Amino acid sequence: MEKSLPSPSHAAYQRRAIPLRRRAILPALAALACFLVIVYGFAFGQGIDFWRAYTRDNLSVEAAAAVARCRSLRAKPGPPSDFAKRTQSDRYVPGTKPILIKNAKIWTGEKNGTEVITADILLDKGVIKGIGQTTRKVLSAFKDDIEVIDAKNAWVTPGIVDLHSHLGDASSPELDGASGDDNSLKGPILPWLRALDGLNTHDDAYALSISGGVTTALVLPGSANAIGGQGFTIKLRKTAERSPSSMLLEPPYQINSSFPDIDGPMRWRQMKHACGENPSRVYGNTRMDNVWAFREAYNKAREIKTAQDAYCTKVEEGRFEDIVQTPFPQDLQWEALVDILRGRVKVQIHCYETVDLDDIVRLSNEFQFPIAAFHHAHEAYLVPGLLKQAYGHPPAVAMFATNARYKREAYRGSEFAPRVLAQHGLKVVMKSDHPVLDSRYLLYEAQQAYLYGLPENLAIAAVTSTPAEIMGMSHRIGFVKEGYDADLVIWDSHPLALGATPIQVFIDGIPQIAEAYVTRKPEAFQRTPEVPNFDDEAKAAVEYEGLPPLEPKKSDAETVVFTNVKSVFTRSGSDVNEVYMAATTEDLRTVVVTNGKITAINEDALHFPANAHVVNLRGGSISPGLTTFGSPLGLVEIDAEDSTNDGLVFDPLVQRVPSIMGGDAALVRAVDGLQFGGRNALLAYRSGVLKAITAPVGARFYAGLSTTFATGALNKLDEDAVIQDVNAVHVTVRHFGSTPSVSTQIGTLRRLLLHPPNGDAGQWFKDVSEGKTTLVVDTDSADIIATLILLKREVEEKSGKKIQLTITGGLEAHLLAKELGEAQIGVIQIQARPFPATWERRRILPGHPLSEESSIQVLLKHNVTVGVGILEAWNARNARFDIGWLAIDAGGDISRAKAMAIGSTNIETLLGGKVGAAVAEDLVATEGGDLLDFGSKVIAVLSPRRESVNLL
Ligand SMILES: *[C@@H]1O[C@H](CO)[C@@H](O)[C@H](O)[C@H]1NC(C)=O
Ligand SMILES: *[C@@H]1O[C@H](CO)[C@@H](O)[C@H](O)[C@H]1NC(C)=O
Ligand SMILES: *[C@@H]1O[C@H](CO)[C@@H](O)[C@H](O)[C@H]1NC(C)=O
Ligand SMILES: *[C@@H]1O[C@H](CO)[C@@H](O)[C@H](O)[C@H]1NC(C)=O
C-alpha cells in the first residue's frame, strides 16, 4: 500500500509555467511577480482553499495542502458551475462549419420526454446555439459561412446514447487472439483496470453504429470479474488526433495522474461490477464466494476511507502536528473503490437474477454506495420493491428488449420488463452490450420496448436522455437543448417506427454521413406507430414469475370467422401469393375458416354460420407462417446449460468418432435430438414462426442432417410435430484457427463428394453428388464461396448431375451475386442485418443509410434464391420484423409476398424441404395489420393439417 503526503511544492513547481508567461509581459515588476508566481502558483495548484488557508491561517505549505485535499474529498462530481454558459464545446473542432437545420420536428427530451416542437436548430462551435425561428439577423451574422439543411419536417432526436457497450475493447472484426480486450482473467476484483487502456480505434463498428444514430457510448470492461474495472464514455466519431484519449467525453481527472487532482472540476467516473454466473464461471466460484470477494474489496476501501476521514478530522481541527509525520492514507489500487464510497462513481452492475440483485442491494447498504444501474437485470421487473431498497436511490435498469433465455439468469426475462419497471417508477434504459447486440440497432431495442408497452416518451428517452442522465452526462448530451453538445440525428421516419434510419448524424456539430441512402416511406411512418394491447400478457409475465404458459389453445368451434380482414396471403408451391388485398377500409373482408381451412372470403360480413366463433382482425391479415433456420432451436433450450441441450456432434475431421456409432461413416440426424415445448419455440409460434429447420450442432466442420419441426408442437409423437425427418446434409467451412485448415475442409468435402466412402455418411454424400439431396455449407467468406462454386462445377462435370448447394451465413455472398445466380446456388443470409464480427465477414454490404442496396437486394437482383436466418434461438420470434424491415428498406423492390417467401418458402426450398401442397400449410391470423407490420399481433393459427384453429 502506497502512502504519501501530497507534494504541494512539486505541484506548485509544475504549474509555475502559467504565471511565468505573465512575468514576461510585466518585466518591470519582475521581483514582485516572482513572489506572486510562487504564491499564485500554490493557489492555482492547490485550489483557492489552499491559498486562503495559507495566507489567513499562516499555515505551513504541507498543512495548507492537507486542508485543501481534505476539502476536496467532499467535492461532488459534475460540470463546472458555469458550464451552462459555455459558448464553445471542449470537443469543438476548429474549422467545423456552423449548420442550420431548418424545419425539424424535434423530440427535445424535455417535459419527461413528451415535448415535440417544430423549429430550426442552429449548431456552432460544437454546441446547439439556438432552437427556434431563424431570423435574417442570425443568418447574416454568419455571412455566407453557414450550411443550411432543410429537414422538411423530419424527426430529429438527440444522438443515441448507449449505456453499455464494448466498442473498441471487443472490436470487430475480432482480431485480438480471440479473447478481446474487455475481460481480464487476473482475478475477480480489479477496480484498478480501465477500459480506456484497451480501446482500439480501428473497430469497424464505430462507423456502423454512427450510421444507426449512436453518438455516445459508455465503454465498460466485460463481466468476467466481480469488479471488472473502470468504464469510459466516448464519442464515436473519428478525431484528428486519432487517439483513444481524444474520443473521451469528460474524462475523469485520473487518466493522466495517479490520484485525484484536487482542483477538479470533478467528473463522474464509471465502474463495472458483475454478479452471478459470469464471474463465477471464470473463477470457479459460487455466488457466496463472489459476494465475499465484493465485501472483502469494499471493506478494504472502507478502511482506507475511514483512515482518510480520521486524517481529515485532524486537519479540520487544526491538529497539524498530528499529521505532519503521517502520510495521507491512499492506495492506487483501491482509490477508485474509495471514490465509490464517496459517491463519486457511477456504479454499473451486470446482474440478472433476484438472488444477485438482492445480494448487491444488501452490499450497497452495507457499504453505503448508490448503484447507477443494474444491467441486463432479466429479473428486475419481478422485484421492483427490492430495487427501491438500494442505498441512496433506486438503480436504473438497462435492458435488452427480447434477448433472453440464453442462460439460467436470463430464463425468466420478459419483453414486458421495460413497461413493468416504468410502471413502478423505475428508470428504464435500453442498451446494446455491443457486440452482443449490434449497437447500430440500439433504437430497435427501444422500438420493441415500445411495442410491448413502454410509453412512447420513455421509449425514446431509454436510448437518449435516460442513459445520459444515468452516466452523469445529462448536462450536455441526451437532449436537444440550447447549450448542449451538437449531437443530433435526423431520421427518415418516426424514431419508433420499425426501420427508422438516420438521414444525417451530427457529433460535436460535425456531419458523419457523407451520403445517406434511404427509402421514401409512406406518410404513416412519420406518426407514432400504433401498437397492440399486451396488458394481459404483461400481467401474466409477472404473475408467473417470467414463465407464463405459452401453449396454444384449440378453438372449440368448428367454424371460426375472421372479420375486417385487410389481406390474405397463401402459399402456392414455393411461392407466397397475395390472394386478397383491400384497397380501402370499406373493402375489408370476412374470412370463414372451417376445420382449420379457409372456405370462403366474403364481402358480406354476415355470411357465416350462427354458432361460429367470431374474431375481429381490425384490418388484420391472414398469411403463411414463417420458417426459422440458423439457430439450434429445438436442440437447445438454455444455451449455457448443457443439461437442457442436445450437445455437440463428434467431428471426424478433428477427433476419433466412436466405432460403436459407425466411426467416420456416421452422420447424425437432428431429428433424433429434438425437444418440444421449449419457450423459444413457443414464443416463435406465437409470433407466426410455425416451422423450424434445425441442423445438429457441430463445433467445426461436421454437422449432420437437418430436420423440420412444428414450433407449436408439445411432443414429438404429436401429429405433425416432425414435418420432415431429414432435410439436407450440413457442413461448415470456416476459419477455425489453425486446424483444420480451410483447404483441409474443402479437400475433405471434395473427397466426400467425388469418392463417397462406404456407410451412412457416404450414402448421403453420394445422394448430394447425384443431386438427390441438398448440401448446405455454412460459410461467409467470399473466397470460400468462390471455391465452393468451383467445387460444385468440378463435381457436376464428373457426375454429370446438377448438385443442389445452399450457402448459409453468406455475409460476403453479395460480392459473388452474379456467379451464385448463374450457378443456381441459393443463400440464407444470417443474419438479416449483417455485422462484420469476424475477418471472413468483414466485407459486408451495410445497407441503408451507408449503401443504396442491401446484400439481400443485390442477391435477388441476380436471381439468387434468398432466405434470412438467425444465430440464436431467442431471436426466432423476431423473424417477422427481420423480413418486414427488409421490405421497408427495399421500398417497392421487395413486395410483402416476396418478403414472406424470404422468411418461409425460400428457406424451406433452399434446405431441401419438400414444400407441401398449399392446402396443408398452416396460416397465421394477425390483428391490426399484417404479419410484417410492427403494430400487428398474431392471434390465431389456422391449421388444415390438424383441422382446427389455435387461438393465442
Ligand atoms: C506567521 O508566521 C510567521 C513566520 O513563522 C510569523 O512571523 C508570523 O507572526 C505569523 N503570523 C501570524 C498571523 O500568525
Ligand atoms: C413520465 O411519463 C411516464 C409515462 O408516460 C409517466 O408514467 C410518468 O408519471 C411521467 N413522470 C413525470 C415526472 O411526469
Ligand atoms: C490529461 O488528460 C486530459 C484528457 O485527455 C487532457 O485534456 C489534459 O491535457 C491532460 N493533462 C496533462 C497534464 O497531460
Ligand atoms: C432473372 O430472371 C428473370 C426472369 O426469369 C430474367 O428476366 C432476368 O434476366 C434474370 N436476371 C439475371 C441477372 O439473370
Side-chain angles (χ1 to χ4, degrees):
M1 182 159 160
E2 183 187 334
K3 286 187 183 176
S4 66
L5 253 186
S7 169
S9 53
H10 173 70
Y13 180 78
Q14 273 190 332
R15 293 182 204 253
R16 260 176 226 165
I18 301 162
L20 269 177
R21 267 185 260 120
R22 299 185 181 186
R23 187 174 60 157
I25 301 165
L26 301 168
L29 298 172
L32 177 61
C34 254
F35 171 74
L36 284 177
V37 157
I38 296 165
V39 174
Y40 184 69
F42 286 147
F44 215 83
Q46 301 300 324
I48 294 303
D49 285 336
F50 174 81
W51 169 231
R52 284 203 197 113
Y54 187 61
T55 52
R56 187 195 60 218
D57 302 334
N58 206 6
L59 299 179
S60 70
V61 167
E62 286 78 5
V67 168
R69 148 156 279 149
C70 289
R71 197 152 304 177
S72 85
L73 291 185
R74 295 217 195 87
K76 290 293 169 214
S81 55
D82 58 353
F83 186 83
K85 293 193 203 116
R86 71 184 175 150
T87 53
Q88 177 173 322
S89 170
D90 51 351
R91 295 182 47 86
Y92 168 59
V93 177
T96 306
K97 259 193 151 183
I99 291 177
L100 179 70
I101 304 168
K102 290 184 69 79
N103 307 315
K105 192 187 291 177
I106 310 162
W107 183 90
T108 65
E110 301 268 53
K111 299 187 180 157
N112 194 21
T114 60
E115 185 182 75
V116 176
I117 56 175
T118 300
D120 303 343
I121 311 171
L122 178 63
L123 312 179
D124 188 27
K125 300 274 191 297
V127 297
I128 298 174
K129 273 282 154 73
I131 301 168
Q133 229 48 25
T134 320
T135 60
R136 217 174 280 275
K137 202 168 132 217
V138 169
L139 278 181
S140 64
F142 288 98
K143 306 212 170 60
D144 287 332
D145 199 25
I146 182 165
E147 193 187 325
V148 180
I149 298 171
D150 188 353
K152 298 184 181 140
N153 208 28
W155 282 92
V156 170
T157 66
I160 304 268
V161 178
D162 193 352
L163 189 68
H164 186 142
S165 178
H166 303 290
L167 267 171
D169 280 13
S171 51
S172 306
E174 194 176 295
L175 285 174
D176 41 22
S179 59
D181 253 328
D182 57 335
N183 278 308
S184 164
L185 301 180
K186 295 282 163 69
I189 302 292
L190 304 167
W192 44 87
L193 299 190
R194 307 182 297 186
L196 171 63
D197 296 331
L199 197 75
N200 176 4
T201 52
H202 303 298
D203 190 334
D204 280 359
Y206 294 123
L208 293 168
S209 295
I210 289 172
S211 82
V214 182
T215 54
T216 304
L218 172 55
V219 179
L220 295 167
S223 52
N225 324 93
I227 299 184
Q230 300 160 41
F232 284 78
T233 305
I234 59 165
K235 291 229 192 158
L236 273 56
R237 72 169 167 87
K238 277 196 184 303
T239 63
E241 297 89 332
R242 301 202 175 111
S243 65
S245 300
S246 65
M247 298 175 82
L248 296 175
L249 179 62
E250 294 194 357
Y253 45 78
Q254 284 83 356
I255 68 168
N256 44 26
S257 65
S258 296
F259 289 102
D261 174 349
I262 59 176
D263 284 335
M266 193 159 285
R267 303 304 202 183
W268 279 106
R269 310 175 71 182
Q270 312 284 335
M271 178 64 76
K272 175 74 181 284
H273 285 3
C275 49
E277 283 181 31
N278 286 13
S280 296
R281 206 168 342 115
V282 173
Y283 293 99
N285 281 350
T286 64
R287 283 185 159 78
M288 296 189 291
D289 296 309
N290 271 342
V291 176
W292 170 246
F294 273 120
R295 295 179 66 218
E296 191 180 34
Y298 270 104
N299 190 47
K300 181 121 189 163
R302 185 165 59 185
E303 280 168 13
I304 297 171
K305 178 177 179 285
T306 304
Q308 290 177 348
D309 291 347
Y311 175 100
C312 286
T313 302
K314 289 178 193 156
V315 169
E316 278 151 16
E317 288 170 1
R319 290 152 52 200
F320 298 109
E321 62 289 355
D322 290 356
I323 57 139
V324 78
Q325 295 306 327
T326 328
F328 179 70
Q330 59 186 347
D331 184 321
L332 187 54
Q333 283 197 301
W334 300 103
E335 60 82 25
L337 274 198
V338 176
D339 240 11
I340 292 179
L341 298 183
R342 296 198 179 283
R344 306 203 285 200
V345 183
K346 300 285 188 184
V347 185
Q348 313 285 354
I349 312 187
H350 155 127
C351 204
Y352 285 78
E353 273 188 280
T354 304
V355 52
D356 302 309
L357 298 167
D358 190 61
D359 289 345
I360 298 294
V361 165
R362 277 187 281 105
L363 186 79
S364 87
N365 284 306
E366 179 179 357
F367 293 95
Q368 305 195 342
F369 65 92
I371 300 161
F374 279 124
H375 293 236
H376 308 303
H378 283 59
E379 292 191 11
Y381 74 107
L382 297 174
V383 288
L386 168 62
L387 266 54
K388 289 178 185 176
Q389 288 166 25
Y391 180 80
H393 57 75
V397 186
M399 287 168 281
F400 297 131
T402 51
N403 186 354
R405 290 172 295 285
Y406 43 87
K407 53 166 145 176
R408 182 188 110 177
E409 294 178 338
Y411 193 57
R412 291 167 190 265
S414 169
E415 60 274 36
F416 304 110
R419 87 179 245 164
V420 172
L421 287 163
Q423 273 162 0
H424 283 93
L426 290 157
K427 294 211 157 74
V428 169
V429 172
M430 305 309 292
K431 55 93 173 83
S432 73
D433 194 9
H434 181 99
V436 171
L437 294 184
D438 179 357
S439 64
R440 179 179 173 188
Y441 303 113
L442 180 53
L443 186 62
Y444 176 44
E445 297 302 291
Q447 291 163 357
Q448 293 171 78
Y450 167 69
L451 170 66
Y452 296 111
L454 184 66
E456 179 184 10
N457 55 326
L458 301 184
I460 305 178
V463 290
T464 53
S465 45
T466 312
E469 182 195 329
I470 301 308
M471 61 171 65
M473 291 287 178
S474 57
H475 54 283
R476 63 185 295 167
I477 60 167
F479 294 81
V480 183
K481 207 168 157 178
E482 210 172 304
Y484 272 53
D485 286 17
D487 297 353
L488 299 175
V489 186
I490 308 179
W491 299 97
D492 71 342
S493 69
H494 187 289
L496 295 180
L498 182 69
T501 303
I503 299 171
Q504 188 52 280
V505 179
F506 302 91
I507 303 182
D508 302 319
I510 306 169
Q512 298 294 311
I513 300 181
E515 186 180 0
Y517 301 94
V518 291
T519 319
R520 256 191 87 83
K521 293 179 176 171
E523 201 39 46
F525 277 74
Q526 301 303 328
R527 296 191 289 269
T528 304
E530 281 180 36
V531 288
N533 184 317
F534 286 108
D535 290 352
D536 292 343
E537 289 88 342
K539 216 169 130 229
V542 176
E543 186 182 331
Y544 289 91
E545 299 195 352
L547 306 177
L550 299 172
E551 291 78 11
K553 285 184 203 65
K554 200 163 146 177
S555 164
D556 298 333
E558 190 174 290
T559 302
V560 179
V561 172
F562 296 96
T563 62
N564 294 315
V565 181
K566 188 172 172 204
S567 57
V568 178
F569 298 85
T570 59
R571 291 168 60 126
S572 95
S574 57
D575 272 332
V576 173
N577 291 333
E578 182 184 299
V579 175
Y580 181 75
M581 174 69 76
T584 69
T585 46
E586 265 125 63
D587 296 332
L588 299 178
R589 294 287 163 98
T590 295
V591 176
V592 182
V593 175
T594 311
N595 295 326
K597 201 173 143 191
I598 296 182
T599 47
I601 303 180
N602 295 331
E603 285 175 47
D604 177 0
L606 300 173
H607 206 81
F608 54 79
N611 62 351
H613 180 78
V614 181
V615 180
N616 183 353
L617 288 190
R618 300 190 302 105
S621 173
I622 292 174
S623 57
L626 302 177
T627 303
T628 181
F629 172 76
S631 78
L633 188 71
L635 294 178
V636 163
E637 180 59 4
I638 304 174
D639 198 33
E641 291 295 336
D642 289 348
S643 66
T644 73
N645 303 335
D646 184 49
L648 294 179
V649 299
F650 289 101
D651 192 333
L653 200 50
V654 290
Q655 64 198 142
R656 254 185 64 84
V657 182
S659 56
I660 191 171
M661 65 171 285
D664 287 8
L667 201 59
V668 167
R669 300 172 183 221
V671 68
D672 292 335
L674 281 183
Q675 317 177 92
F676 286 84
R679 299 193 72 80
N680 286 318
L682 290 175
L683 284 166
Y685 181 82
R686 299 177 82 88
S687 309
V689 179
L690 305 187
K691 292 187 214 170
I693 301 177
T694 298
V697 183
R700 302 219 162 173
F701 173 72
Y702 235 44
L705 302 169
S706 54
T707 187
T708 311
F709 69 94
T711 52
L714 299 178
N715 182 323
K716 195 187 248 177
L717 303 179
D718 274 4
E719 186 189 353
D720 286 326
V722 177
I723 296 167
Q724 187 172 329
D725 273 358
V726 172
N727 276 65
V729 176
H730 291 249
V731 297
T732 300
V733 179
R734 284 190 185 279
H735 294 271
F736 289 118
S738 56
T739 49
S741 66
V742 167
S743 41
T744 304
Q745 296 168 61
I746 293 286
T748 305
L749 199 50
R750 177 184 288 113
R751 172 179 167 265
L752 288 168
L753 291 171
L754 292 179
H755 312 287
N758 291 329
D760 199 30
Q763 187 56 47
W764 283 106
F765 280 97
K766 189 157 172 288
D767 282 357
V768 167
S769 61
E770 289 173 357
K772 292 185 203 154
T773 296
T774 301
L775 174 66
V776 180
V777 181
D778 188 47
T779 193
D780 284 294
S781 153
D783 296 301
I784 295 175
I785 293 172
T787 303
L788 290 169
I789 292 174
L790 292 173
L791 179 63
K792 178 173 186 277
R793 252 184 237 164
E794 185 183 339
V795 175
E796 285 173 348
E797 269 163 28
K798 291 257 166 65
S799 72
K801 305 256 170 59
K802 274 240 163 272
I803 70 172
Q804 298 165 44
L805 175 63
T806 293
I807 304 294
T808 61
L811 291 189
E812 293 191 350
H814 64 97
L815 294 170
L816 295 164
K818 179 166 171 287
E819 291 79 3
L820 286 165
E822 285 164 3
Q824 294 182 346
I825 299 173
V827 175
I828 297 181
Q829 182 176 303
I830 299 173
Q831 311 180 70
R833 295 175 298 286
F835 180 74
T838 57
W839 182 253
E840 52 190 334
R841 297 176 192 163
R842 74 194 181 282
R843 293 174 290 185
I844 60 163
L845 188 63
H848 289 174
L850 297 178
S851 66
E852 189 169 2
E853 292 174 310
S854 65
S855 40
I856 300 280
Q857 275 173 287
V858 172
L859 291 168
L860 288 172
K861 223 185 196 169
H862 289 91
N863 290 342
V864 177
T865 305
V866 180
V868 292
I870 56 168
L871 286 170
E872 291 167 82
W874 60 267
N875 211 3
R877 64 179 305 169
N878 293 322
R880 64 198 199 96
F881 303 137
D882 286 345
I883 57 172
W885 195 332
L886 269 182
I888 292 167
D889 267 357
D893 266 13
I894 299 180
S895 68
R896 299 188 99 61
K898 197 159 179 176
M900 288 176 193
I902 289 172
S904 60
T905 49
N906 286 10
I907 295 173
E908 293 167 34
T909 309
L910 290 173
L911 297 176
K914 296 188 189 74
V915 179
V919 69
E921 293 292 345
D922 291 1
L923 298 170
V924 175
T926 52
E927 182 191 54
D930 70 33
L931 191 55
L932 308 193
D933 282 327
F934 198 54
S936 72
K937 184 175 183 180
V938 176
I939 58 168
V941 173
L942 293 52
S943 180
R945 294 163 187 264
R946 293 161 175 266
E947 302 189 348
S948 66
V949 171
N950 278 338
L951 298 173
L952 304 173

